[in-house]
Amino acid sequence: MVSFNNIIGHEEIIRHLKNAMTTGKVSHSYIFTGRPGSGKKLLATTYAMTLQCEAGGTEPCQKCDSCKKALGKNHPDIIMVNHEKPGTISIDEIRDQLIHDVAIKPYCSPHKIYIVPDAEMMTVQAQNALLKTIEEPPEYAVIMLLTSNADALLPTIQSRCVRLDLKVVDDNLVKKYLMERLHVPDYQAEIDASFAQGSIGKAQEAATSEEFGKMTENALRILKYVSTMQTYELTDVIRELSDEKQHIGDYLDIFQFWFRDVLMFKATREIDNLVFKQEINYIKEQASQRSYENLEKILEALEKAKVRLRANVNFELALELLFLTIRER
């Protein structure tokens, strides 16, 4: 059910939007900014549905004609701006779907609402063309720009929009959501929530993706036995990871959580705050074998590997250097 009550976190933003509806101070243009998977689209579509709802409250009623159309994604006055080319939104796409269209009055609603996902992909020409509409919008227009990089928008656009920054959601809230709504087992929810780093979308994806489960399993197999692997086995691991290049960032995140767990257990002897609680025997063993200095070095090496891979350094070489550090005692 689409409702503000079902959105996890973002209480301040929800309060702001509800207040705007209650006081009749709905802005003509908004920027929703936050990391991928942080819930920008969900907030924007819920707000759009509520603004158009015939009941006129601060939650969509779900029953009126307008809500039914919004739920069916065929509301004529809620327009999702899309783009054909990956990575760019052209001036023609903004003109056709928004600038020319906004001149036509709403068909059946108080507002005409435009949602622009990935707004940072608009070309400078597209942004400049949109600027005039944002400066002099028709009374009924509401434009919502969704972005994971607000700085890519022109300062002139930024200064004319109400900016709503989505903060990361607390890990415990994410974990609770996964366990209660998606019935994910406790230990798996712990891993998914840590991996998501405050992004409900990413947590949901991890929890429901078979691929992520297999990847976690594979990463743990490597981590448990990396210290005792022969050189040829290590070469096989690097080759294996090369075949999964597109997921290497996720693998490195999982490696990081593991070594943080080892460090945390070494320092506190407590199990409660560990991500990989169910692997406590292996964590205990590695904590007794490794020094604090060695663990700090490994965590630094993981950060370095991420930087190197982003800079397109030779993939195999970056991983070889990382595993050399991990194998040192």
Side-chain angles (χ1 to χ4, degrees), residues 52-320:
Q52 304 291 42
C53 174
E54 289 159 31
T58 56
E59 284 283 354
C61 76
Q62 319 281 338
K63 297 185 191 112
C64 69
D65 247 10
S66 175
C67 281
K68 283 177 187 163
K69 281 176 186 153
L71 287 168
K73 294 188 171 43
N74 57 6
H75 198 300
D77 295 321
I78 299 175
I79 296 103
M80 192 70 70
V81 174
N82 47 50
H83 56 101
E84 274 179 23
K85 273 193 195 160
T88 180
I89 303 174
S90 70
I91 183 168
D92 290 338
E93 286 165 329
I94 287 294
R95 274 193 188 132
D96 295 347
Q97 297 175 63
L98 201 162
I99 298 165
H100 295 162
D101 189 80
V102 80
I104 304 160
K105 288 197 164 113
Y107 292 94
C108 55
S109 318
H111 304 279
K112 203 158 186 193
I113 300 171
Y114 297 85
I115 299 172
V116 186
D118 308 315
E120 73 278 4
M121 292 181 186
M122 285 189 286
T123 63
V124 172
Q125 293 87 333
Q127 291 190 50
N128 276 320
L130 179 60
L131 186 58
K132 192 160 171 29
T133 305
I134 285 177
E135 283 175 333
E136 299 165 20
E139 195 51 43
Y140 48 77
V142 179
I143 297 165
M144 304 187 204
L145 306 176
L146 319 184
T147 178
S148 48
N149 178 14
D151 294 337
L153 297 173
L154 295 174
T156 42
I157 283 191
Q158 290 187 52
S159 64
R160 284 165 177 78
C161 296
V162 170
R163 178 173 163 154
L164 302 170
D165 285 85
L166 279 71
K167 294 184 175 65
V168 294
V169 180
D170 182 78
D171 275 7
N172 289 326
L173 276 177
V174 178
K175 185 181 166 187
K176 190 171 172 230
Y177 166 80
L178 293 175
M179 288 169 70
E180 288 176 4
R181 304 263 184 97
L182 301 181
H183 312 296
V184 175
D186 185 339
Y187 70 90
Q188 189 59 46
E190 186 86 54
I191 295 167
D192 296 341
S194 301
F195 172 75
Q197 296 173 342
S199 156
I200 286 280
K202 206 172 171 189
Q204 215 165 347
E205 207 177 302
T208 54
S209 143
E210 208 176 297
E211 203 175 15
F212 182 74
K214 279 184 188 152
M215 189 174 65
T216 307
E217 232 170 85
N218 198 24
L220 289 177
R221 178 182 60 80
I222 295 167
L223 289 160
K224 287 176 195 172
Y225 305 114
V226 68
S227 312
T228 55
M229 277 181 189
Q230 300 298 317
T231 310
Y232 74 90
E233 291 175 297
L234 211 49
T235 309
D236 287 347
V237 164
I238 291 173
R239 196 176 299 127
E240 216 177 287
L241 291 174
S242 286
D243 293 339
E244 293 202 57
K245 250 185 202 149
Q246 73 276 27
H247 298 303
I248 193 62
D250 297 340
Y251 269 103
L252 294 180
D253 282 345
I254 294 168
F255 289 1
Q256 238 166 353
F257 298 139
W258 175 270
F259 286 109
R260 274 192 210 135
D261 274 3
V262 175
L263 183 60
M264 177 92 80
F265 182 77
K266 189 176 180 67
T268 65
R269 290 306 211 210
E270 283 171 13
I271 299 172
D272 282 355
N273 293 322
L274 304 184
V275 175
F276 296 108
K277 291 186 186 69
Q278 83 279 23
E279 304 294 349
I280 186 58
N281 292 337
Y282 289 98
I283 285 170
K284 248 183 204 168
E285 189 187 334
Q286 292 198 13
S288 67
Q289 289 169 353
R290 294 181 182 279
S291 67
Y292 286 111
E293 191 189 5
N294 173 236
L295 289 165
E296 292 289 358
K297 244 188 194 167
I298 291 171
L299 290 166
E300 268 170 40
L302 280 159
E303 279 304 331
K304 263 185 204 154
K306 285 182 179 181
V307 172
R308 282 180 181 136
L309 291 169
R310 274 199 297 270
N312 283 330
V313 168
N314 179 293
F315 188 87
E316 281 79 9
L317 180 67
L319 288 190
E320 263 171 45

